[in-house]
Amino acid sequence: MAQSVGIKDVARVAGVSVGTVSNVINRPDTVASETRARVLSAIDRLGYVRSESARQLRAGRSRIMGLLVLDMGNPFFVDVARGAERAAREAGLGVMVCNSAQSAGEEADYLSLFAEQRVRGVLLTPADATGRNIEAFRRHGIPFVLVDRVAEGTTECSVSVDDVAGGALAVRHLIDAGHRSIAYVSGPPGLTQVTDRRTGALNALAEAGLGPECLRELPTERLDVAAGRDAGARLLGLAERPTAVFCANDLLALGVLQAMFAAGVNVPDDLAIVGYDDIEFAAAAAVPLTSVRQPAVTMGALAAELLLEETGAAATPGAHQHRRVVLQPELVVRRSSLPPR
């Protein structure tokens, strides 16, 4: 294995001190042109690359922002990452993206990694419903912003969408289309997003004078297409099948749609389906999917901007005011929920 070239090697080949090499790299105007040319020639010949991480640790200011999401297999979080990366790049920073896979254990491991790397700050969609991982990470003194989650019980910044309003939008639309028996394909009960969307659904039923018994919940362990197919199979096995389904995200809804297609159930004539997130695949489904749109790119960008406000070069220690930004969802109606003609 080739040995890495260090600054001492450059100094030896160029016949100068280590301090002179450092000045050429960091303050070239302070070095005579002939000496500077000799050092640059040695750098080029040896293939020296400075240790940016070491420089950042000495300066106490990393140029890396951490982003930890629930599921990089979900295009919603890809869009969140795009927004965060765009805002970070404009500020001259990079983003280290990690995936907790909805696992509290993996989340803890990645938060430890971020602490070891002394990242500038972290954008976090928590997987651990107990909050213990956040408490442990807070001890490191690294700023973080919660994404797609309201900062309940914490003082940190957060950027989220009003999921109670989003759940109400979905079910109000189904009620207006004439449905009175609706299934809610949810997800892990510890996720705030899942419970908030259910609360919104129940609110819409109450507004219409309908009781909570009109909403049949089908929980899932994960928020992916396979879990949606499984929920679709359970739905097909019900003695009294609901006429409409609201799913906690679009991946679940696409899985339910696949199960209905395989069983010969017509969507939307026999079963209406509404998803959540409005990922790109929603409009491209075999039956274009009605969905509650979240501004994912905007969410990621705003979260990164809040973190930059707190950690940027112009930030005054103790002056940053934490904020909770709550964005509004939007219902996008497509064929999967249109009433029969």
Side-chain angles (χ1 to χ4, degrees):
M1 181 182 294
Q3 192 157 354
S4 62
V5 175
I7 193 169
K8 291 181 180 179
D9 300 308
V10 175
R12 176 176 50 78
V13 171
V16 299
S17 69
V18 169
T20 298
V21 177
S22 178
N23 285 337
V24 169
I25 294 170
N26 298 300
R27 296 175 294 278
D29 293 341
T30 66
V31 183
S33 59
E34 182 180 340
T35 304
R36 187 167 66 242
R38 195 161 71 248
V39 171
L40 291 174
S41 175
I43 287 174
D44 184 60
R45 194 166 32 169
L46 294 172
Y48 168 74
V49 178
R50 70 173 177 178
S51 174
E52 180 66 12
S53 60
R55 186 188 71 81
Q56 290 171 12
L57 285 173
R58 287 194 299 272
R61 182 167 294 276
S62 171
R63 291 180 57 246
I64 298 297
M65 180 186 297
L67 171 63
L68 182 55
V69 300
L70 285 177
D71 181 12
M72 280 306 293
N74 186 340
F76 166 76
F77 287 110
V78 174
D79 286 342
V80 169
R82 282 176 47 218
E85 191 273 337
R86 183 179 65 196
R89 188 176 64 247
E90 289 174 356
L93 273 63
V95 178
M96 180 192 299
V97 182
C98 298
N99 175 28
S100 71
Q102 302 175 43
S103 163
E106 292 191 36
E107 176 181 84
D109 290 343
Y110 280 123
L111 288 175
S112 294
L113 175 65
F114 289 151
E116 290 170 8
Q117 296 297 316
R118 298 293 192 274
V119 295
R120 172 75 64 92
V122 174
L123 309 179
L124 169 65
T125 303
D128 176 24
T130 69
R132 284 192 289 265
N133 286 343
I134 288 179
E135 278 303 312
F137 184 70
R138 188 180 280 114
R139 293 198 295 267
H140 296 289
I142 298 174
F144 63 90
V145 175
L146 298 181
V147 184
D148 195 30
R149 181 73 56 84
V150 176
E152 297 289 357
T154 73
T155 58
E156 282 75 21
C157 289
S158 66
V159 181
S160 61
V161 166
D162 189 339
D163 283 319
V164 174
L169 280 175
V171 172
R172 194 177 296 125
H173 165 69
L174 292 172
I175 293 170
D176 290 345
H179 298 284
R180 297 296 181 269
S181 177
I182 301 168
Y184 176 45
V185 176
S186 57
L191 292 179
T192 305
Q193 298 94 321
V194 168
T195 56
D196 282 353
R197 291 165 197 178
R198 180 179 184 274
T199 297
L202 292 172
N203 289 349
L205 289 170
E207 290 170 7
L210 301 171
E213 69 279 0
C214 295
L215 189 72
R216 176 74 176 269
E217 185 167 2
L218 297 174
T220 62
E221 293 184 358
R222 301 186 64 80
L223 293 164
D224 54 25
V225 174
R229 284 196 297 267
D230 174 71
R234 283 184 280 151
L235 186 67
L236 290 167
L238 294 177
E240 296 184 13
R241 188 190 305 167
T243 61
V245 181
F246 167 43
C247 297
N249 76 359
D250 284 342
L251 296 182
L252 290 172
L254 291 171
V256 171
L257 181 61
Q258 289 179 6
M260 295 306 110
F261 184 80
V265 175
N266 184 279
V267 175
D269 291 352
D270 299 326
L271 185 76
I273 302 176
V274 176
Y276 205 104
D277 290 339
D278 195 34
I279 61 176
E280 184 177 356
F281 300 135
V287 179
L289 186 65
T290 294
S291 185
V292 178
R293 176 178 294 166
Q294 298 199 81
V297 174
T298 299
M299 193 182 304
L302 286 174
E305 288 166 6
L306 286 174
L307 191 60
L308 290 167
E309 282 181 18
E310 185 173 359
T311 64
T316 303
H320 175 74
Q321 296 293 316
H322 291 303
R323 287 186 283 152
R324 294 182 181 182
V325 179
V326 180
L327 305 174
Q328 291 303 308
E330 173 190 0
L331 181 70
V332 181
V333 178
R334 299 189 181 95
R335 190 155 63 90
S336 70
S337 66
L338 293 179
R341 295 180 179 178

